[in-house]
């Protein structure tokens, strides 16, 4: 493909223009002179033109050489194999296909591993050159490097890339790669190496480069066919497994889908697909979903002959467990969204969709018949509960529903005194709302993380200490305002078989209004922990409720350094994802466990969404530390990748595709030089020889 | 109109030129048989300024011719005779063909910078100079202009004013067309007096055999012919110009692209050979040939010519 905008091509055209210009200059006359007679001029020129014959043979040689170079221009793909090693010195953008098809297992080797091994081997062959960038073609295109890096760094940065459960737009990835090579005016002689298994519907699009950039494709599976049916976006929700089925073929077809749970077929469906049709297919899981608990649910196409890829023969894997269902029971006047109950619901489930850690429903206390099925019921203003509501609640308790009471009654001084006896327990004294800091003290959080649970339970179950004695009370915190009536209600609930009963008296919550929840992320975390504890009791398995703490740190040149500690810490930046194990958080007010995310967005000031004390950080330093941590942790397992590479060799033969239409633009310049010489050789005769 | 007015306002000869021309004499190499008195030596003996001889007195002789001193010495009557001088008819043939319009490469490539005269105007100036000298010698001068392949002639006259008017008219003509000199010579030769001197002022860009044939026929009739070959210096040696020029033949319209720098030497040699061939061929016919280039002042060129002729005689 001729791309006239590439610098090399422009240079070549300029060189081609040089002999033409010289030729025209040689032929051009300085002026027209009306001469008395040209008889003698004719005689003189006849004598001089005889000299041209001497140069004819040399001109013939030069012209043959120019034609030979011109032929070599189009024969460049043949010569490219020999020159491939030198090409590695150029800038290279690597495009790694992370589509769902790469999750397929062929001959016992995951396709993605094979592709990664190929990429590693190519990068290893490139030595310590620094002209590398990478584009990960996942659900979204992502460049993992900030500028050109060396091959070693690139291997680290792309090491964590994992395939997604969806097709990807490789064509857009190629466009992005071309853009990363820089504007054509820079003259970068770059190339693009596409690492893909070829299982994409639009794969033929990028067979030809669009801007003259050298494109090399590795990892193609010669046995694979271009798919026309794909499964993606499997979701487990509401007792169903729903998968989107897309058919891009040009013929109608009937496909058979099978839903499996841990390898056991739950059911099959036959679906008729029209050309271009996309539809969702659901399989009922029922009560199996609870029993499954982190089991693998997959939906696949049965007897699909299209290809091996999971894009077509989809085996989407989802680790699923239904979220805890939380019902917030409140008085009628608390149903409005700006009430504390509404604010509490938004705090527990801020997104209102499947991303929330819990499913929240707000129910009217005076309409127990409409209460939904739930795992935990959070009851506010229990004094307003009617007898019928309490009856329904007791009925629900029989089903193992956990209860959380939030009360602000200040009437009972005895119970207040009894509860304040908690202060004598270890750690209990500090278990109070810190008015000055508007946050829960560390002791409260420690209590709910089990550090002093035993002591707490011993304290609250002492005889004469509380009407809750002997009940299945998990914890009672800061209960300065509880009333005997409330305790009786709680006691009855516990006796009714509730999985657990918790109570919170939170005056500032109600006094401060709805905004108190939003301003108290620690309180939200506390509520998540309470719900998780109750649901664990209810479902009989460990259920962790809570959003990962998201540190949204923005700013490139800040003074502070944010570090994280704890297992499984991952660093998520806009430039890529990498494992950041070993980093520590400097201002962690809470013990860190589980997955923490450091998300770097934008380049403005620092904002701590869940942890405001993290402060600003030096992104470059954080990233470098993360890279070093990854390298030190051995997460980038070259040995495993090498094994995949060997398998790739036997399976695909590492077939590298070379674009047969690629033109070597510099040869045009050489041809121009040759033609220039030709014109110079012929110029004397022409100028002397005249028209 | 502008050109004509310009030419009419610019004299062909300046006052200084005229003063210098007063010291020149122009005429043919042969004695003039005419009877009209003039300054040219005649074949006849009669009244004149230069003593020729004595002869015995015979009745009827004019008594004023008797040499009285000889009578006193010899007591015989002798009549003293003087060489008689007479007029010489001069005819000037001006070549006004297109090739005579050349003014040099500067004029062609940079018209604004052109200052030199064209060959035609130079020829007219040369004719004016000759006419002035002839008028001072009381020689009648006739003119013919070969213009656009036609010959326009004026009869001989002996008045400078007439000469001036005719030459101004000739100078106002725009040189054009092919010369056809051979045919013109034949036409003119039939109309001129037998012993007249005919001066051809031309660049001689003609076919040599045709011209020589015409001249040979005319020379046999007793007329005297002279040829002044007027060339621009660019014609003698090609102009020094870098690169190629498209040369267009002024008369045929043919064109050729050539680099003067490459062929200058060859051209100069060929032109010299050509001129020499003309000279030799004309000399064989008894015709005097004079090469005059337009880079020399007319008076100087004419003076050199006259001086060289005097040395030869």
């Amino acid at each position: 493909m001729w791309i006239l905008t590439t610098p090399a091509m422009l240079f070549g055209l300029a060189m081609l223009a040089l002999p033409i210009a010289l030729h025209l200059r040689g032929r051009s006359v300085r002026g027209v002179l009306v001469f008395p007679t040209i008889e003698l001029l004719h005689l003189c020129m006849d004598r001089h033109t005889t000299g041209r014959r001497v140069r004819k043979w040399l001109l013939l040689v030069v012209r043959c050489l120019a034609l030979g170079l011109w032929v070599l221009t189009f024969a460049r793909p043949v010569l490219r194999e020999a020159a491939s090693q030198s090409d590695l010195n150029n800038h290279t953008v690597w495009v790694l296909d992370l589509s769902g098809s790469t999750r397929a297992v062929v001959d016992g080797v995951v396709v993605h591993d094979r592709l990664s091994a190929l990429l590693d081997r190519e990068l290893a062959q490139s030595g310590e050159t620094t002209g590398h960038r990478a584009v990960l073609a996942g659900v979204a295109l992502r460049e993992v490097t900030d500028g050109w890096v060396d091959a070693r760094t690139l291997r680290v940065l792309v090491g964590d890339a994992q395939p997604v459960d969806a097709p990807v737009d490789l064509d857009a990835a190629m466009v992005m790669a071309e853009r990363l090579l820089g504007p054509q005016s820079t003259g970068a002689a770059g190339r693009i190496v596409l690492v893909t298994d070829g299982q994409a519907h639009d794969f033929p699009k990028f067979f030809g480069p669009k801007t003259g950039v050298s494109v090399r494709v590795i990892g193609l599976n010669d046995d694979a066919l271009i798919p026309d049916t794909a499964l993606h976006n499997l979701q487990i929700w509401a007792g169903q497994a729903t998968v989107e089925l897309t058919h891009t073929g040009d013929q109608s077809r009937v496909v058979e889908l099978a839903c499996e749970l841990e390898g056991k077929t739950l059911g099959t469906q036959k679906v008729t697909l029209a050309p271009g049709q996309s539809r969702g297919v659901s399989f009922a899981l029922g009560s199996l979903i609870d029993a499954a608990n982190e089991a693998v649910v997959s939906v696949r196409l049965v007897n699909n002959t299209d290809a091996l890829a999971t894009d077509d023969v989809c085996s989407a894997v989802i680790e699923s467990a239904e979220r805890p269902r939380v019902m917030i029971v409140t008085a009628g006047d608390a149903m409005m969204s700006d009430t504390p109950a509404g604010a509490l619901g938004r705090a527990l489930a801020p997104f209102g969709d499947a991303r929330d850690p819990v499913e929240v429903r707000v129910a009217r206390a005076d309409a127990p018949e409409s209460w939904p099925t739930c795992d935990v019921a959070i009851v506010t203003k229990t004094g307003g509960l009617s007898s019928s509501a309490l009856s329904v609640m007791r009925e629900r308790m029989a089903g193992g529903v956990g209860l959380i009471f939030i009360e602000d009654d200040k009437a009972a001084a005895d119970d207040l005194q009894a509860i304040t006896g908690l202060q004598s327990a270890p750690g209990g004294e500090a278990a109070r709302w810190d008015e000055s800091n508007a946050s829960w003290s560390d002791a409260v959080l420690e209590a709910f993380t089990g550090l002093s649970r035993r002591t707490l339970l011993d304290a609250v179950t002492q005889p004469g200490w509380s009407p809750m004695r002997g009940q299945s009370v998990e914890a009672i915190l800061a209960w300065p305002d509880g009333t005997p009536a409330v305790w009786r209600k709680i006691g009855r609930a516990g006796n009714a078989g509730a999985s657990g009963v918790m109570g919170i008296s939170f005056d500032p919550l109600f006094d401060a209004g709805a905004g108190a929840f939003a301003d108290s992320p620690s309180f939200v975390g506390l509520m998540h922990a309470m719900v998780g504890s109750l649901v664990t009791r209810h479902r009989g398995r460990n259920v962790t409720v809570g959003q990962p703490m998201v540190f949204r740190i923005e700013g490139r040149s800040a003074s502070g350094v944010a570090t994280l500690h704890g297992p499984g810490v991952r660093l998520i930046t806009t430039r890529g994802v990498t494992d950041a194990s070993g980093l520590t958080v400097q201002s962690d007010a809470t013990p860190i466990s589980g997955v923490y995310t450091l998300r770097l967005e934008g380049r403005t000031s620092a904002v701590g969404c869940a942890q405001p004390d993290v402060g600003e950080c030096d992104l470059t330093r954080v990233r470098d530390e993360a890279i070093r941590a990854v390298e030190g942790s051995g997460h980038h397992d070259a040995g495993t990748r090498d094994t995949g590479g060997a398998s790739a060799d036997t399976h695909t033969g590492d077939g590298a595709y070379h674009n047969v239409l690629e033109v070597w633009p510099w040869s045009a310049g050489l041809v121009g030089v040759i033609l220039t010489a030709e014109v110079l050789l012929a110029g004397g005769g022409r100028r002397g020889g005249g028209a | 109109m502008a050109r004509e007015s310009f030419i009419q306002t610019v004299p062909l000869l300046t006052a200084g030129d005229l003063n210098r021309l007063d010291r020149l004499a122009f005429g043919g190499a042969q004695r003039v048989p005419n009877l009209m008195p003039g300054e040219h030596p005649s074949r006849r003996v009669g009244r004149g300024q230069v003593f020729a001889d004595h002869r015995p007195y015979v009745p009827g002789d004019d008594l004023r011719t008797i040499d009285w001193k000889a009578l006193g010495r010899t007591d015989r009557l002798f009549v003293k005779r003087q060489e008689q001088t007479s007029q010489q008819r001069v005819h000037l043939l001006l070549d006004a063909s297109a090739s005579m319009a050349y003014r040099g490469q500067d004029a062609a490539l940079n018209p604004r910078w052109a200052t030199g005269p064209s060959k035609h105007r130079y020829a007219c100036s040369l004719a004016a100079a000759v006419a002035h000298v002839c008028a001072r010698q009381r020689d009648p001068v006739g003119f013919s202009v070969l213009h656009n392949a036609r010959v326009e002639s004026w009869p001989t006259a002996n008045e400078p004013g007439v000469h001036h008017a005719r030459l101004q008219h000739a100078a106002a003509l725009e040189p054009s067309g092919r010369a056809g000199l051979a045919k013109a010579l034949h036409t003119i030769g039939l109309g001129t007096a037998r012993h007249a001197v005919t001066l051809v002022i031309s660049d001689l860009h003609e076919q040599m055999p045709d011209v020589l044939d015409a001249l040979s026929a005319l020379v046999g009739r007793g007329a005297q012919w002279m040829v002044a070959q007027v060339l621009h210096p660019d014609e003698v040696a090609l102009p020094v110009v870098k690169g190629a020029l498209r040369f267009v033949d002024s008369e045929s319209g043919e064109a050729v692209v050539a680099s003067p720098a490459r062929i200058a030497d060859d051209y100069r040699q060929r032109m010299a050979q050509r001129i020499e061939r003309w000279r030799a061929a004309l000399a064989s016919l008894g015709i005097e040939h004079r090469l005059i280039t337009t880079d020399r002042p007319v008076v100087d060129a004419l003076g050199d010519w006259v001086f060289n002729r005097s040395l030869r005689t």
Side-chain angles (χ1 to χ4, degrees):
Chain A
M1 180 178 295
W2 283 86
I3 304 299
L4 300 180
T5 56
T6 58
M9 183 61 71
L10 292 177
F11 172 79
L13 290 177
M15 294 301 294
L16 278 178
L18 182 60
I20 297 175
L22 290 176
H23 175 75
L24 294 177
R25 183 180 180 276
R27 289 181 58 85
S28 63
V29 294
R30 302 288 299 273
V32 177
L33 181 60
V34 179
F35 209 61
T37 180
I38 60 174
E39 180 183 355
L40 289 181
L41 294 176
H42 275 302
L43 296 175
C44 295
M45 283 167 40
D46 289 341
R47 176 181 173 183
H48 279 267
T49 50
T50 56
R52 298 178 60 190
R53 298 170 186 170
V54 180
R55 301 186 179 93
K56 281 188 176 180
W57 288 106
L58 185 56
L59 281 177
L60 178 61
V61 173
V62 170
R63 285 166 178 165
C64 290
L65 185 58
L67 287 178
L69 277 177
W70 198 253
V71 171
L72 286 178
T73 297
F74 294 95
R76 187 229 179 188
V78 179
L79 303 176
R80 188 183 168 186
E81 285 296 340
S84 60
Q85 190 61 35
S86 61
D87 287 344
L88 292 176
N89 296 326
N90 296 332
H91 289 73
T92 304
V93 177
W94 304 82
V95 179
L96 181 58
D97 181 11
L98 297 178
S99 62
S101 62
T102 61
R103 304 183 64 166
V105 179
V106 179
D107 295 339
V109 178
V110 180
V111 175
H112 173 70
D113 292 342
R114 179 175 62 82
L115 297 180
S116 298
L118 284 176
L119 178 59
D120 282 349
R121 191 175 62 183
E122 291 288 334
L123 287 173
Q125 291 178 354
S126 64
E128 298 298 327
T129 56
T130 58
H132 297 276
R133 302 179 87 160
V135 174
L136 300 181
V139 175
L141 301 178
R142 189 172 70 240
E143 181 201 359
V144 297
T145 57
D146 185 11
W148 300 101
V149 298
D150 54 38
R152 184 165 173 264
T153 303
L154 189 75
R155 292 173 65 186
V156 173
L157 292 178
V158 302
D160 278 345
Q162 294 296 328
V164 298
D165 290 330
V168 300
D169 190 352
L170 281 182
D171 197 45
M174 296 296 289
V175 173
M176 181 177 181
E178 289 180 348
R179 181 176 57 80
L180 291 179
L181 281 177
Q184 300 302 313
S185 58
T186 61
R191 64 167 184 164
I192 298 173
V193 178
L194 173 62
V195 186
T196 180
D197 59 351
Q199 298 303 302
H201 296 281
D202 56 353
F203 188 76
K205 284 184 180 178
F206 43 79
F207 264 62
K210 297 176 175 56
T211 58
V213 177
S214 172
V215 176
R216 185 178 176 216
V217 183
I218 61 175
L220 291 179
N221 186 348
D222 295 335
D223 298 332
L225 302 176
I226 299 302
D228 61 355
T229 306
L231 287 170
H232 51 88
N233 196 20
L234 177 62
Q235 290 186 342
I236 308 298
W237 183 245
Q240 289 184 329
T242 303
V243 65
E244 292 185 19
L245 181 61
T246 302
H247 178 57
T248 57
D250 55 357
Q251 299 290 332
S252 298
R253 65 175 300 192
V254 178
V255 297
E256 184 176 5
L257 301 176
C259 179
E260 298 177 345
L261 175 65
E262 294 290 343
K264 178 182 178 182
T265 303
L266 299 179
T268 59
Q269 290 189 41
K270 286 189 176 180
V271 180
T272 302
L273 295 171
Q277 183 181 7
S278 179
R279 57 171 297 184
V281 180
S282 298
F283 292 88
L285 301 178
S287 59
L288 294 175
I289 190 64
D290 285 341
N293 188 26
E294 300 182 359
V296 176
V297 177
S298 60
V299 176
R300 62 181 179 85
L301 288 169
V302 180
N303 297 327
N304 184 44
T305 58
D306 275 349
L308 57 89
T310 51
D311 283 334
D312 294 71
V313 189
C314 179
S315 180
V317 180
I318 296 293
E319 296 179 357
S320 65
E322 283 198 333
R323 296 178 301 171
R325 291 157 295 186
V326 176
M327 176 181 64
I328 300 176
V329 181
T330 183
D333 60 350
M335 289 295 293
M336 303 301 292
S337 60
D338 57 349
T339 62
L344 176 61
R346 290 195 299 275
L348 295 177
F351 298 106
D353 55 22
R355 291 175 293 175
D356 295 331
V358 297
E359 179 185 3
V360 174
R361 301 289 181 85
V362 178
R364 295 173 63 96
D366 55 353
E369 66 278 3
S370 62
W371 289 0
T373 302
C374 62
D375 294 312
V376 175
I378 299 176
V379 183
T380 62
K381 293 185 178 300
T382 56
L385 290 178
S386 63
S387 57
S388 61
L390 291 173
S391 175
V392 172
M393 185 178 296
R394 280 195 298 274
E395 181 181 347
R396 298 294 172 86
M397 297 302 113
V401 174
L403 282 177
I404 298 176
F405 288 92
I406 301 177
E407 189 56 68
D408 62 344
D409 193 347
K410 302 178 182 178
D414 294 340
D415 287 284
L416 177 62
Q417 184 61 37
I419 296 302
T420 53
L422 179 63
Q423 296 177 358
S424 61
E429 185 177 2
R432 66 179 183 273
W433 176 258
D434 188 345
E435 292 286 349
S436 60
N437 295 328
S439 64
W440 292 90
S441 63
D442 293 343
V444 175
L445 299 176
E446 289 177 359
F448 272 86
T449 53
L451 295 179
S452 46
R453 176 180 303 175
R454 184 71 261 166
T455 305
L456 182 60
L457 288 178
D458 290 342
V460 300
T461 55
Q462 290 177 2
W465 182 79
S466 169
M468 296 296 294
R469 184 175 57 245
Q471 304 299 322
S472 57
V473 175
E474 180 69 20
I476 298 174
L477 295 178
W479 195 268
D481 303 328
T483 63
V486 173
W487 289 117
R488 282 192 293 273
K489 295 176 185 176
I490 295 174
R492 284 196 296 270
N495 292 334
S499 60
V501 179
M502 295 182 179
I504 298 176
S505 178
F506 190 21
D507 291 343
L509 177 67
F510 295 95
D511 294 342
F517 292 104
D519 294 337
S520 178
S522 297
F523 177 77
V524 176
L526 175 65
M527 294 302 296
H528 280 148
M530 294 170 69
V531 171
S533 177
L534 294 174
V535 173
T536 299
R537 283 171 169 270
H538 181 203
R539 296 188 178 180
R541 60 180 183 272
N542 184 26
V543 176
T544 301
V545 177
Q547 293 176 287
M549 300 189 72
V550 177
F551 295 88
R552 180 175 295 128
I553 300 175
E554 300 169 344
R556 178 171 287 275
S557 60
S559 58
V561 176
T563 55
L564 304 174
H565 73 80
V569 175
R570 294 176 64 81
L571 179 67
I572 301 177
T573 72
T574 55
R575 294 295 183 182
V577 180
T578 186
D579 194 339
S581 299
L583 303 181
T584 58
V585 173
Q586 289 182 331
S587 58
D588 53 334
T590 64
I592 295 177
S593 62
V595 176
Y596 286 76
T597 301
L598 177 62
R599 178 172 297 163
L600 307 176
E601 296 177 350
R603 297 179 179 180
T604 58
S605 61
V607 176
C609 177
Q611 176 52 269
D613 298 327
V614 171
E616 299 177 344
C617 68
D618 185 343
L619 297 189
T620 304
R621 182 173 174 182
V622 169
R623 188 189 63 182
D624 294 342
E625 289 186 14
I627 292 173
R628 286 195 295 271
V630 171
E631 292 176 337
S633 65
H635 182 77
H636 186 71
D637 190 351
T640 304
R641 306 301 168 86
D642 291 343
T643 302
S647 175
D649 285 341
T650 57
H651 185 69
T652 65
D654 189 18
Y657 174 75
H658 299 293
N659 186 355
V660 297
L661 295 180
E662 193 171 348
V663 177
W664 186 33
W666 296 98
S667 61
L670 287 180
V671 174
V673 173
I674 299 299
L675 292 179
T676 302
E678 189 269 349
V679 170
L680 291 177
L681 287 173
R686 283 190 184 128
R687 283 194 292 271
Chain B
M1 184 63 187
R3 171 180 170 81
E4 188 170 357
S5 61
F6 168 77
I7 291 175
Q8 289 177 352
T9 54
V10 177
L12 295 172
L13 297 173
T14 64
D17 294 338
L18 297 177
N19 290 333
R20 296 177 60 190
L21 289 173
D22 288 342
R23 297 191 290 270
L24 299 181
F26 185 82
Q30 301 175 2
R31 291 181 177 273
V32 182
N34 286 357
L35 297 178
M36 296 296 292
E39 296 186 355
H40 298 279
S42 173
R43 297 177 183 176
R44 296 194 176 192
V45 179
R47 294 180 182 272
Q49 299 296 328
V50 180
F51 171 78
D53 59 3
H54 289 92
R55 67 171 175 82
Y57 173 79
V58 293
D61 288 338
D62 188 356
L63 295 179
R64 289 176 297 179
T65 63
I66 294 175
D67 188 351
W68 297 108
K69 293 180 179 179
L71 178 62
R73 289 193 299 266
T74 62
D75 292 333
R76 291 178 60 188
L77 291 174
F78 289 95
V79 175
K80 186 171 59 178
R81 300 194 302 178
Q82 291 86 16
E83 289 184 354
Q84 187 174 359
T85 60
S86 65
Q87 295 177 334
Q88 184 173 41
R89 292 178 180 271
V90 176
H91 198 85
L92 302 178
L93 172 58
L94 290 172
D95 180 4
S97 62
S99 62
M100 294 295 290
Y102 186 70
R103 301 177 64 190
Q105 59 95 12
D106 287 338
L109 302 179
N110 304 297
R112 292 183 178 179
W113 298 348
T115 55
S118 65
K119 291 196 299 180
H120 173 63
R121 182 166 180 84
Y122 190 90
C124 291
S125 298
L126 180 61
V130 173
H132 177 78
V133 173
C134 292
R136 187 182 53 79
Q137 297 173 166
R138 293 176 294 177
D139 294 332
V141 179
F143 294 95
S144 292
V145 178
L146 178 56
H147 178 247
N148 205 10
R150 293 193 309 169
V151 178
E152 185 179 2
S153 298
W154 292 276
T156 56
N158 202 13
E159 299 179 4
V162 175
H163 299 162
H164 176 75
R166 290 172 177 175
L167 286 174
Q168 287 291 354
H169 174 75
L173 294 175
E174 185 70 25
S176 62
R178 294 175 180 269
L181 186 59
K183 183 178 179 181
L185 290 174
H186 181 71
T187 302
I188 295 172
L190 295 177
T192 56
R194 289 185 58 190
H195 300 288
V197 174
T198 303
L199 174 60
V200 179
I201 304 176
S202 171
D203 53 10
L204 294 182
H205 292 317
E206 299 287 336
Q207 294 297 323
M208 185 181 295
D210 298 341
V211 176
L212 293 180
D213 289 344
L215 287 175
S216 61
L218 296 174
V219 169
R221 297 180 62 247
Q224 296 184 62
W225 292 84
M226 289 185 291
V227 175
Q229 186 176 11
V230 177
L231 295 177
H232 193 276
D234 291 348
E235 296 178 272
V236 179
L238 285 178
V240 179
V241 177
K242 290 185 178 179
L245 288 176
R246 179 181 297 278
F247 291 89
V248 178
D249 193 292
S250 60
E251 296 183 1
S252 66
E254 296 180 1
V256 62
V257 177
S259 178
R262 291 179 177 271
I263 62 173
D265 294 339
D266 189 18
Y267 178 89
R268 185 164 53 250
Q269 293 177 5
R270 288 177 179 274
M271 178 55 77
Q273 294 172 1
R274 182 188 180 94
I275 295 172
E276 187 56 33
R277 283 201 302 272
W278 272 110
R279 187 192 311 275
L282 293 174
S284 65
L285 297 176
I287 299 176
E288 186 178 353
H289 171 270
R290 183 69 183 181
L291 173 64
I292 299 176
T293 55
T294 59
D295 57 341
R296 297 202 65 195
V298 171
V299 177
D300 292 347
L302 184 59
D304 291 346
W305 189 9
V306 171
F307 178 74
N308 290 333
R309 294 180 73 230
S310 65
L311 291 180
R312 288 197 298 269
T313 57

